[in-house]
Amino acid sequence: MKKLMLASMTLLLAGATAVPAFADDDKRSVGGSYATQGGKGPWREDREDRRDERRDDRQDRREDRQDWRADRRDDRRDWREDRQEIRQDRRDHRQDWRAERRDDRRDWRDDRRDDRRDWRNDRRDDYRQRYSRHDDRRWNGYHWRPEYRYRAPRYVYPSGYRAYRWQVGHRLPPAYYGRPYYVDYRTYRLPPPPYGYHWVRVDHDVVLVAAATGLILDVLYGLYY
């Protein structure tokens, strides 16, 4: 009986001493693994991996931002170049439009001048066809017949006046055909003057003159005495 008790006690003591040994072995084995890994635990490796991933992620984000900014700069540059081209096209269009408008105005003015010139020539031709002093019985071929002459008030000579026999095609000085010298053609039963022309008195004669140029279209000598 005593032997059995002693044996069990020895077994118990042997087991108690064996447990710390295994623990030390475990510690040594773990310590050995730390030593082989440079003294870093698994959780430190995870932190370093996460840090590396964050760095990579940040680097990728920086590169993406740089690419995005470069693309945006290119887009702005292209947009500015497009706007410059549009503005240049507008300038060219405006210049072309203004040049065409100037040409149209010149053509219109030339056409208008030609129309006026033709119209005046037609009016002159109409006047010549409608009235000829040589066919008028009051005209003797050189002067107005005395029995058809008119007594007129005293003639006020214009500045620079000189005695001269004006003829068709001459140009009368402006001082000669001012408004005070206008003659009412109805009073003397004269033909109506063409547009832009007036009958004016020059001393004893009556002259049909262009108001703008002074060009003489007709002359009736000796209408007054």
mmCIF file of all heavy atoms in Angstrom, residues 137-167:
data_model
loop_
_atom_site.group_PDB
_atom_site.id
_atom_site.type_symbol
_atom_site.label_atom_id
_atom_site.label_comp_id
_atom_site.label_asym_id
_atom_site.label_seq_id
_atom_site.Cartn_x
_atom_site.Cartn_y
_atom_site.Cartn_z
ATOM 1 N N ARG A 137 -42.611 130.395 -132.355
ATOM 2 C CA ARG A 137 -42.813 131.556 -133.212
ATOM 3 C C ARG A 137 -42.375 132.849 -132.544
ATOM 4 O O ARG A 137 -42.231 133.876 -133.205
ATOM 5 C CB ARG A 137 -44.297 131.672 -133.604
ATOM 6 C CG ARG A 137 -45.245 131.832 -132.436
ATOM 7 C CD ARG A 137 -46.689 131.789 -132.921
ATOM 8 N NE ARG A 137 -47.624 131.899 -131.818
ATOM 9 C CZ ARG A 137 -48.053 133.057 -131.335
ATOM 10 N NH1 ARG A 137 -47.632 134.195 -131.868
ATOM 11 N NH2 ARG A 137 -48.913 133.084 -130.337
ATOM 12 N N ARG A 138 -42.117 132.815 -131.236
ATOM 13 C CA ARG A 138 -41.642 134.019 -130.553
ATOM 14 C C ARG A 138 -40.146 134.216 -130.757
ATOM 15 O O ARG A 138 -39.591 135.227 -130.363
ATOM 16 C CB ARG A 138 -41.951 133.922 -129.053
ATOM 17 C CG ARG A 138 -43.450 133.867 -128.742
ATOM 18 C CD ARG A 138 -43.694 133.613 -127.268
ATOM 19 N NE ARG A 138 -43.218 132.277 -126.859
ATOM 20 C CZ ARG A 138 -43.257 131.838 -125.600
ATOM 21 N NH1 ARG A 138 -43.723 132.630 -124.632
ATOM 22 N NH2 ARG A 138 -42.833 130.624 -125.311
ATOM 23 N N TRP A 139 -39.535 133.259 -131.350
ATOM 24 C CA TRP A 139 -38.074 133.287 -131.560
ATOM 25 C C TRP A 139 -37.800 133.509 -133.032
ATOM 26 O O TRP A 139 -38.352 132.836 -133.895
ATOM 27 C CB TRP A 139 -37.484 131.955 -131.082
ATOM 28 C CG TRP A 139 -36.003 131.830 -131.258
ATOM 29 C CD1 TRP A 139 -35.352 131.185 -132.259
ATOM 30 C CD2 TRP A 139 -34.993 132.365 -130.430
ATOM 31 N NE1 TRP A 139 -33.999 131.277 -132.111
ATOM 32 C CE2 TRP A 139 -33.743 132.011 -130.968
ATOM 33 C CE3 TRP A 139 -35.020 133.151 -129.260
ATOM 34 C CZ2 TRP A 139 -32.537 132.382 -130.406
ATOM 35 C CZ3 TRP A 139 -33.819 133.495 -128.690
ATOM 36 C CH2 TRP A 139 -32.592 133.128 -129.248
ATOM 37 N N ASN A 140 -36.932 134.486 -133.332
ATOM 38 C CA ASN A 140 -36.652 134.808 -134.736
ATOM 39 C C ASN A 140 -35.398 134.140 -135.272
ATOM 40 O O ASN A 140 -34.921 134.472 -136.352
ATOM 41 C CB ASN A 140 -36.557 136.325 -134.924
ATOM 42 C CG ASN A 140 -35.356 136.920 -134.203
ATOM 43 O OD1 ASN A 140 -34.582 136.210 -133.566
ATOM 44 N ND2 ASN A 140 -35.207 138.234 -134.298
ATOM 45 N N GLY A 141 -34.848 133.249 -134.503
ATOM 46 C CA GLY A 141 -33.635 132.556 -134.933
ATOM 47 C C GLY A 141 -32.413 132.986 -134.165
ATOM 48 O O GLY A 141 -31.474 132.205 -133.992
ATOM 49 N N TYR A 142 -32.402 134.229 -133.669
ATOM 50 C CA TYR A 142 -31.259 134.732 -132.899
ATOM 51 C C TYR A 142 -31.701 135.360 -131.575
ATOM 52 O O TYR A 142 -31.001 135.258 -130.574
ATOM 53 C CB TYR A 142 -30.491 135.781 -133.715
ATOM 54 C CG TYR A 142 -29.869 135.218 -134.979
ATOM 55 C CD1 TYR A 142 -30.526 135.346 -136.202
ATOM 56 C CD2 TYR A 142 -28.650 134.554 -134.945
ATOM 57 C CE1 TYR A 142 -29.967 134.829 -137.363
ATOM 58 C CE2 TYR A 142 -28.093 134.028 -136.100
ATOM 59 C CZ TYR A 142 -28.752 134.170 -137.308
ATOM 60 O OH TYR A 142 -28.207 133.661 -138.455
ATOM 61 N N HIS A 143 -32.844 136.036 -131.604
ATOM 62 C CA HIS A 143 -33.339 136.711 -130.416
ATOM 63 C C HIS A 143 -34.838 136.491 -130.307
ATOM 64 O O HIS A 143 -35.510 136.064 -131.240
ATOM 65 C CB HIS A 143 -33.045 138.218 -130.481
ATOM 66 C CG HIS A 143 -31.578 138.549 -130.437
ATOM 67 N ND1 HIS A 143 -30.854 138.557 -129.294
ATOM 68 C CD2 HIS A 143 -30.712 138.874 -131.445
ATOM 69 C CE1 HIS A 143 -29.590 138.886 -129.557
ATOM 70 N NE2 HIS A 143 -29.482 139.090 -130.885
ATOM 71 N N TRP A 144 -35.304 136.826 -129.130
ATOM 72 C CA TRP A 144 -36.740 136.826 -128.887
ATOM 73 C C TRP A 144 -37.353 138.007 -129.653
ATOM 74 O O TRP A 144 -36.810 139.093 -129.667
ATOM 75 C CB TRP A 144 -36.985 136.980 -127.382
ATOM 76 C CG TRP A 144 -38.244 136.327 -126.893
ATOM 77 C CD1 TRP A 144 -39.367 136.967 -126.512
ATOM 78 C CD2 TRP A 144 -38.488 134.944 -126.734
ATOM 79 N NE1 TRP A 144 -40.322 136.081 -126.125
ATOM 80 C CE2 TRP A 144 -39.804 134.790 -126.247
ATOM 81 C CE3 TRP A 144 -37.740 133.783 -126.971
ATOM 82 C CZ2 TRP A 144 -40.388 133.576 -125.977
ATOM 83 C CZ3 TRP A 144 -38.321 132.571 -126.685
ATOM 84 C CH2 TRP A 144 -39.620 132.461 -126.203
ATOM 85 N N ARG A 145 -38.489 137.733 -130.309
ATOM 86 C CA ARG A 145 -39.112 138.792 -131.090
ATOM 87 C C ARG A 145 -39.521 139.958 -130.178
ATOM 88 O O ARG A 145 -39.998 139.736 -129.067
ATOM 89 C CB ARG A 145 -40.336 138.266 -131.829
ATOM 90 C CG ARG A 145 -40.005 137.228 -132.902
ATOM 91 C CD ARG A 145 -41.253 136.798 -133.627
ATOM 92 N NE ARG A 145 -40.947 135.772 -134.618
ATOM 93 C CZ ARG A 145 -40.494 136.011 -135.845
ATOM 94 N NH1 ARG A 145 -40.299 137.266 -136.251
ATOM 95 N NH2 ARG A 145 -40.227 135.021 -136.681
ATOM 96 N N PRO A 146 -39.307 141.166 -130.623
ATOM 97 C CA PRO A 146 -39.592 142.336 -129.780
ATOM 98 C C PRO A 146 -41.032 142.386 -129.278
ATOM 99 O O PRO A 146 -41.287 142.824 -128.146
ATOM 100 C CB PRO A 146 -39.288 143.520 -130.696
ATOM 101 C CG PRO A 146 -38.337 142.972 -131.707
ATOM 102 C CD PRO A 146 -38.724 141.556 -131.914
ATOM 103 N N GLU A 147 -41.997 141.951 -130.081
ATOM 104 C CA GLU A 147 -43.391 142.038 -129.654
ATOM 105 C C GLU A 147 -43.727 141.063 -128.530
ATOM 106 O O GLU A 147 -44.779 141.181 -127.902
ATOM 107 C CB GLU A 147 -44.336 141.809 -130.850
ATOM 108 C CG GLU A 147 -44.177 140.469 -131.529
ATOM 109 C CD GLU A 147 -43.174 140.494 -132.657
ATOM 110 O OE1 GLU A 147 -42.258 141.345 -132.616
ATOM 111 O OE2 GLU A 147 -43.307 139.668 -133.586
ATOM 112 N N TYR A 148 -42.799 140.097 -128.304
ATOM 113 C CA TYR A 148 -43.031 139.130 -127.229
ATOM 114 C C TYR A 148 -42.072 139.315 -126.062
ATOM 115 O O TYR A 148 -42.048 138.483 -125.156
ATOM 116 C CB TYR A 148 -42.897 137.696 -127.768
ATOM 117 C CG TYR A 148 -43.907 137.364 -128.832
ATOM 118 C CD1 TYR A 148 -43.498 137.217 -130.161
ATOM 119 C CD2 TYR A 148 -45.257 137.216 -128.529
ATOM 120 C CE1 TYR A 148 -44.420 136.906 -131.160
ATOM 121 C CE2 TYR A 148 -46.179 136.912 -129.519
ATOM 122 C CZ TYR A 148 -45.754 136.754 -130.835
ATOM 123 O OH TYR A 148 -46.667 136.456 -131.818
ATOM 124 N N ARG A 149 -41.322 140.366 -126.065
ATOM 125 C CA ARG A 149 -40.372 140.608 -124.981
ATOM 126 C C ARG A 149 -41.112 141.173 -123.768
ATOM 127 O O ARG A 149 -42.217 141.698 -123.880
ATOM 128 C CB ARG A 149 -39.275 141.562 -125.433
ATOM 129 C CG ARG A 149 -38.415 140.980 -126.573
ATOM 130 C CD ARG A 149 -37.411 141.987 -127.074
ATOM 131 N NE ARG A 149 -36.372 142.227 -126.070
ATOM 132 C CZ ARG A 149 -35.423 143.170 -126.191
ATOM 133 N NH1 ARG A 149 -35.422 143.968 -127.272
ATOM 134 N NH2 ARG A 149 -34.521 143.325 -125.276
ATOM 135 N N TYR A 150 -40.434 141.055 -122.608
ATOM 136 C CA TYR A 150 -41.042 141.480 -121.348
ATOM 137 C C TYR A 150 -40.193 142.569 -120.705
ATOM 138 O O TYR A 150 -38.958 142.520 -120.766
ATOM 139 C CB TYR A 150 -41.167 140.298 -120.389
ATOM 140 C CG TYR A 150 -42.091 139.212 -120.874
ATOM 141 C CD1 TYR A 150 -41.595 138.162 -121.668
ATOM 142 C CD2 TYR A 150 -43.436 139.229 -120.566
ATOM 143 C CE1 TYR A 150 -42.430 137.159 -122.114
ATOM 144 C CE2 TYR A 150 -44.290 138.222 -121.007
ATOM 145 C CZ TYR A 150 -43.780 137.197 -121.778
ATOM 146 O OH TYR A 150 -44.613 136.203 -122.240
ATOM 147 N N ARG A 151 -40.916 143.492 -120.113
ATOM 148 C CA ARG A 151 -40.219 144.519 -119.333
ATOM 149 C C ARG A 151 -39.953 143.950 -117.942
ATOM 150 O O ARG A 151 -40.872 143.488 -117.274
ATOM 151 C CB ARG A 151 -41.061 145.792 -119.256
ATOM 152 C CG ARG A 151 -40.371 146.926 -118.528
ATOM 153 C CD ARG A 151 -41.278 148.157 -118.482
ATOM 154 N NE ARG A 151 -40.600 149.243 -117.812
ATOM 155 C CZ ARG A 151 -39.800 150.119 -118.408
ATOM 156 N NH1 ARG A 151 -39.599 150.028 -119.722
ATOM 157 N NH2 ARG A 151 -39.212 151.101 -117.739
ATOM 158 N N ALA A 152 -38.724 144.021 -117.522
ATOM 159 C CA ALA A 152 -38.336 143.414 -116.250
ATOM 160 C C ALA A 152 -37.752 144.459 -115.322
ATOM 161 O O ALA A 152 -37.268 145.514 -115.772
ATOM 162 C CB ALA A 152 -37.311 142.316 -116.489
ATOM 163 N N PRO A 153 -37.806 144.222 -114.011
ATOM 164 C CA PRO A 153 -37.173 145.164 -113.075
ATOM 165 C C PRO A 153 -35.675 145.246 -113.324
ATOM 166 O O PRO A 153 -35.079 144.449 -114.048
ATOM 167 C CB PRO A 153 -37.477 144.566 -111.708
ATOM 168 C CG PRO A 153 -38.570 143.594 -111.925
ATOM 169 C CD PRO A 153 -38.443 143.093 -113.321
ATOM 170 N N ARG A 154 -35.096 146.239 -112.695
ATOM 171 C CA ARG A 154 -33.649 146.444 -112.847
ATOM 172 C C ARG A 154 -32.901 145.192 -112.382
ATOM 173 O O ARG A 154 -33.200 144.604 -111.354
ATOM 174 C CB ARG A 154 -33.222 147.664 -112.038
ATOM 175 C CG ARG A 154 -31.713 147.936 -112.087
ATOM 176 C CD ARG A 154 -31.389 149.210 -111.320
ATOM 177 N NE ARG A 154 -29.950 149.407 -111.239
ATOM 178 C CZ ARG A 154 -29.182 148.888 -110.287
ATOM 179 N NH1 ARG A 154 -29.734 148.137 -109.339
ATOM 180 N NH2 ARG A 154 -27.878 149.119 -110.284
ATOM 181 N N TYR A 155 -31.914 144.798 -113.170
ATOM 182 C CA TYR A 155 -31.138 143.589 -112.882
ATOM 183 C C TYR A 155 -30.022 143.929 -111.894
ATOM 184 O O TYR A 155 -29.248 144.869 -112.106
ATOM 185 C CB TYR A 155 -30.557 143.017 -114.168
ATOM 186 C CG TYR A 155 -29.770 141.736 -113.983
ATOM 187 C CD1 TYR A 155 -30.423 140.550 -113.676
ATOM 188 C CD2 TYR A 155 -28.377 141.713 -114.122
ATOM 189 C CE1 TYR A 155 -29.720 139.373 -113.517
ATOM 190 C CE2 TYR A 155 -27.665 140.542 -113.969
ATOM 191 C CZ TYR A 155 -28.346 139.365 -113.660
ATOM 192 O OH TYR A 155 -27.639 138.195 -113.497
ATOM 193 N N VAL A 156 -29.946 143.152 -110.804
ATOM 194 C CA VAL A 156 -28.881 143.327 -109.812
ATOM 195 C C VAL A 156 -27.741 142.402 -110.205
ATOM 196 O O VAL A 156 -27.876 141.176 -110.164
ATOM 197 C CB VAL A 156 -29.386 142.998 -108.391
ATOM 198 C CG1 VAL A 156 -28.250 143.158 -107.385
ATOM 199 C CG2 VAL A 156 -30.568 143.890 -108.030
ATOM 200 N N TYR A 157 -26.657 142.988 -110.600
ATOM 201 C CA TYR A 157 -25.538 142.185 -111.084
ATOM 202 C C TYR A 157 -24.893 141.413 -109.933
ATOM 203 O O TYR A 157 -24.592 142.002 -108.875
ATOM 204 C CB TYR A 157 -24.496 143.076 -111.764
ATOM 205 C CG TYR A 157 -25.033 143.769 -112.996
ATOM 206 C CD1 TYR A 157 -25.428 145.104 -112.954
ATOM 207 C CD2 TYR A 157 -25.149 143.081 -114.196
ATOM 208 C CE1 TYR A 157 -25.922 145.731 -114.078
ATOM 209 C CE2 TYR A 157 -25.642 143.699 -115.328
ATOM 210 C CZ TYR A 157 -26.041 145.021 -115.256
ATOM 211 O OH TYR A 157 -26.534 145.624 -116.377
ATOM 212 N N PRO A 158 -24.640 140.120 -110.086
ATOM 213 C CA PRO A 158 -23.988 139.340 -109.027
ATOM 214 C C PRO A 158 -22.509 139.690 -108.924
ATOM 215 O O PRO A 158 -21.932 140.334 -109.808
ATOM 216 C CB PRO A 158 -24.182 137.892 -109.493
ATOM 217 C CG PRO A 158 -24.303 137.984 -110.967
ATOM 218 C CD PRO A 158 -24.977 139.292 -111.257
ATOM 219 N N SER A 159 -21.924 139.248 -107.849
ATOM 220 C CA SER A 159 -20.500 139.513 -107.636
ATOM 221 C C SER A 159 -19.679 138.844 -108.726
ATOM 222 O O SER A 159 -19.876 137.660 -109.048
ATOM 223 C CB SER A 159 -20.076 138.990 -106.264
ATOM 224 O OG SER A 159 -18.690 139.162 -106.057
ATOM 225 N N GLY A 160 -18.770 139.603 -109.329
ATOM 226 C CA GLY A 160 -17.922 139.062 -110.388
ATOM 227 C C GLY A 160 -18.583 139.060 -111.743
ATOM 228 O O GLY A 160 -18.075 138.403 -112.664
ATOM 229 N N TYR A 161 -19.707 139.755 -111.878
ATOM 230 C CA TYR A 161 -20.429 139.753 -113.156
ATOM 231 C C TYR A 161 -19.591 140.420 -114.243
ATOM 232 O O TYR A 161 -18.896 141.392 -114.012
ATOM 233 C CB TYR A 161 -21.760 140.499 -113.007
ATOM 234 C CG TYR A 161 -22.483 140.695 -114.314
ATOM 235 C CD1 TYR A 161 -23.283 139.694 -114.835
ATOM 236 C CD2 TYR A 161 -22.343 141.888 -115.030
ATOM 237 C CE1 TYR A 161 -23.946 139.864 -116.047
ATOM 238 C CE2 TYR A 161 -23.000 142.064 -116.233
ATOM 239 C CZ TYR A 161 -23.797 141.044 -116.740
ATOM 240 O OH TYR A 161 -24.444 141.224 -117.937
ATOM 241 N N ARG A 162 -19.708 139.854 -115.444
ATOM 242 C CA ARG A 162 -19.102 140.467 -116.626
ATOM 243 C C ARG A 162 -19.993 140.154 -117.818
ATOM 244 O O ARG A 162 -20.631 139.065 -117.863
ATOM 245 C CB ARG A 162 -17.680 139.963 -116.873
ATOM 246 C CG ARG A 162 -17.573 138.488 -117.167
ATOM 247 C CD ARG A 162 -16.121 138.048 -117.241
ATOM 248 N NE ARG A 162 -15.990 136.625 -117.502
ATOM 249 C CZ ARG A 162 -15.950 136.091 -118.693
ATOM 250 N NH1 ARG A 162 -16.052 136.867 -119.781
ATOM 251 N NH2 ARG A 162 -15.813 134.794 -118.860
ATOM 252 N N ALA A 163 -20.073 141.053 -118.733
ATOM 253 C CA ALA A 163 -20.902 140.863 -119.917
ATOM 254 C C ALA A 163 -20.335 139.726 -120.752
ATOM 255 O O ALA A 163 -19.154 139.735 -121.126
ATOM 256 C CB ALA A 163 -20.968 142.148 -120.728
ATOM 257 N N TYR A 164 -21.186 138.764 -121.039
ATOM 258 C CA TYR A 164 -20.704 137.586 -121.767
ATOM 259 C C TYR A 164 -21.910 136.909 -122.420
ATOM 260 O O TYR A 164 -23.007 136.856 -121.839
ATOM 261 C CB TYR A 164 -20.005 136.614 -120.810
ATOM 262 C CG TYR A 164 -19.357 135.442 -121.490
ATOM 263 C CD1 TYR A 164 -18.141 135.589 -122.132
ATOM 264 C CD2 TYR A 164 -19.972 134.196 -121.489
ATOM 265 C CE1 TYR A 164 -17.537 134.519 -122.763
ATOM 266 C CE2 TYR A 164 -19.371 133.116 -122.111
ATOM 267 C CZ TYR A 164 -18.161 133.277 -122.755
ATOM 268 O OH TYR A 164 -17.563 132.223 -123.396
ATOM 269 N N ARG A 165 -21.718 136.406 -123.605
ATOM 270 C CA ARG A 165 -22.794 135.697 -124.290
ATOM 271 C C ARG A 165 -22.687 134.206 -123.948
ATOM 272 O O ARG A 165 -21.903 133.461 -124.534
ATOM 273 C CB ARG A 165 -22.699 135.916 -125.810
ATOM 274 C CG ARG A 165 -23.861 135.308 -126.593
ATOM 275 C CD ARG A 165 -23.701 135.595 -128.076
ATOM 276 N NE ARG A 165 -24.741 134.966 -128.864
ATOM 277 C CZ ARG A 165 -25.949 135.497 -129.090
ATOM 278 N NH1 ARG A 165 -26.245 136.703 -128.586
ATOM 279 N NH2 ARG A 165 -26.840 134.859 -129.824
ATOM 280 N N TRP A 166 -23.496 133.785 -122.980
ATOM 281 C CA TRP A 166 -23.469 132.391 -122.541
ATOM 282 C C TRP A 166 -24.127 131.505 -123.585
ATOM 283 O O TRP A 166 -25.104 131.888 -124.218
ATOM 284 C CB TRP A 166 -24.193 132.233 -121.195
ATOM 285 C CG TRP A 166 -23.550 133.019 -120.089
ATOM 286 C CD1 TRP A 166 -23.959 134.212 -119.592
ATOM 287 C CD2 TRP A 166 -22.367 132.660 -119.396
ATOM 288 N NE1 TRP A 166 -23.105 134.639 -118.611
ATOM 289 C CE2 TRP A 166 -22.115 133.689 -118.461
ATOM 290 C CE3 TRP A 166 -21.475 131.593 -119.448
ATOM 291 C CZ2 TRP A 166 -21.030 133.685 -117.597
ATOM 292 C CZ3 TRP A 166 -20.407 131.577 -118.577
ATOM 293 C CH2 TRP A 166 -20.185 132.601 -117.675
ATOM 294 N N GLN A 167 -23.580 130.302 -123.737
ATOM 295 C CA GLN A 167 -24.087 129.369 -124.735
ATOM 296 C C GLN A 167 -24.325 127.995 -124.099
ATOM 297 O O GLN A 167 -23.849 127.716 -122.979
ATOM 298 C CB GLN A 167 -23.101 129.248 -125.906
ATOM 299 C CG GLN A 167 -22.867 130.549 -126.668
ATOM 300 C CD GLN A 167 -21.879 130.385 -127.800
ATOM 301 O OE1 GLN A 167 -21.483 129.267 -128.139
ATOM 302 N NE2 GLN A 167 -21.469 131.501 -128.397
#
